[in-house]
Amino acid sequence: MMRETVSVLISAAAIDDRLTELAAQIKEDYGDKPLTLVCALKGAVIFLADLSRKLDNNVEFDFLRVSSYGDESISNGAVALSHKTGSLKDRHVLLIEDIADTGHTLVFLRKHLMSMEPASLKICVLLDKPDRRQTPDAKFDYLGFSIPDVFIVGYGLDYAQRYRNLPFIGALSFEE
Ligand code: IMP
Ligand code: MG
């Protein structure tokens, strides 16, 4: 029987500090423009909740959900939407995503969101695993943390739907 062990990679306090910096950066770029924060379910919900509360802009929330076919945890490039947002036409859209891994999800979401004719589109990701990238087109505008190739849980991210409620970002490992 394998035992799952979670070790703290980024503490709750370090996340909070980084989100304060990100919010300041966003504020500098957008000024007082109204923003539509589009959260990619489910992994980005905690990030959305915490980051949005550090912004004093007029903010709307919307949600979409991506499913990748094939392996549960590793996307193979085949991505589809299982929940769509409302109209984003002429909105300043900031996509909130949990992690850039292979990058296929970000490529798909940028294309999809651009087809909704927003006034502008930027992408904010909490975590980046550059060593895992499979496409050069997975670009984003704001980043929380760049991390090594370890499996992450907590702060919204799951393993088999568990651990999303951990207040920190953890590395998951398996032991006999
Ligand atoms: P992509 O490979 O960049 O398309 O990422 C697809 C999705 O896989 C991400 O949005 C996450 O939901 C999930 N994912 C990737 N790496 C991890 C991880 O280390 N822990 C938990 N979920 C992950
Ligand atoms: Mg995700």
Side-chain angles (χ1 to χ4, degrees):
M1 182 69 184
M2 296 290 248
R3 200 161 58 89
E4 297 169 18
T5 308
V6 179
S7 53
V8 178
L9 189 67
I10 305 170
S11 70
I15 298 169
D16 188 66
D17 286 350
R18 185 70 189 120
L19 264 55
T20 301
E21 294 173 354
L22 277 180
Q25 221 183 316
I26 290 166
K27 183 71 186 172
E28 199 173 304
D29 293 348
Y30 286 91
D32 289 326
K33 283 177 191 161
L35 276 173
T36 299
L37 302 180
V38 171
C39 171
L41 295 170
K42 300 174 187 177
V45 281
I46 311 275
F47 186 31
L48 169 78
D50 284 351
L51 182 66
S52 66
R53 283 179 290 176
K54 291 179 184 285
L55 297 170
D56 59 5
N57 299 59
N58 187 334
V59 157
E60 290 184 21
F61 288 178
D62 211 334
F63 299 86
L64 49 69
R65 182 151 183 211
V66 166
S67 331
S68 29
Y69 295 114
D71 188 292
E72 279 250 311
S73 56
I74 302 161
S75 71
N76 58 6
V79 178
L81 280 180
S82 57
H83 177 84
K84 292 183 183 186
T85 64
S87 170
L88 299 173
K89 193 167 164 51
D90 300 330
R91 306 291 310 179
H92 293 290
V93 171
L94 181 59
L95 173 67
I96 309 292
E97 172 62 309
D98 54 0
I99 188 166
D101 189 41
T102 64
H104 294 305
T105 303
L106 280 185
V107 171
F108 173 85
L109 286 179
R110 178 185 296 280
K111 194 168 163 222
H112 169 73
L113 290 169
M114 283 309 293
S115 79
M116 308 278 289
E117 300 178 32
S120 68
L121 172 65
K122 289 191 181 200
I123 297 179
C124 179
V125 300
L126 177 64
L127 299 168
D128 180 27
K129 282 191 214 171
D131 296 345
R132 295 261 308 160
R133 198 71 84 256
Q134 290 178 6
T135 162
D137 301 324
K139 298 273 163 45
F140 44 81
D141 303 280
Y142 304 99
L143 171 65
F145 304 92
S146 186
I147 58 168
D149 180 13
V150 289
F151 195 82
I152 294 302
V153 293
Y155 201 73
L157 289 96
D158 74 304
Y159 172 66
Q161 298 303 324
R162 290 179 287 116
Y163 300 114
R164 293 190 195 275
N165 58 323
L166 294 178
F168 56 87
I169 292 164
L172 180 69
S173 57
F174 299 89
E175 284 155 26
E176 292 283 357

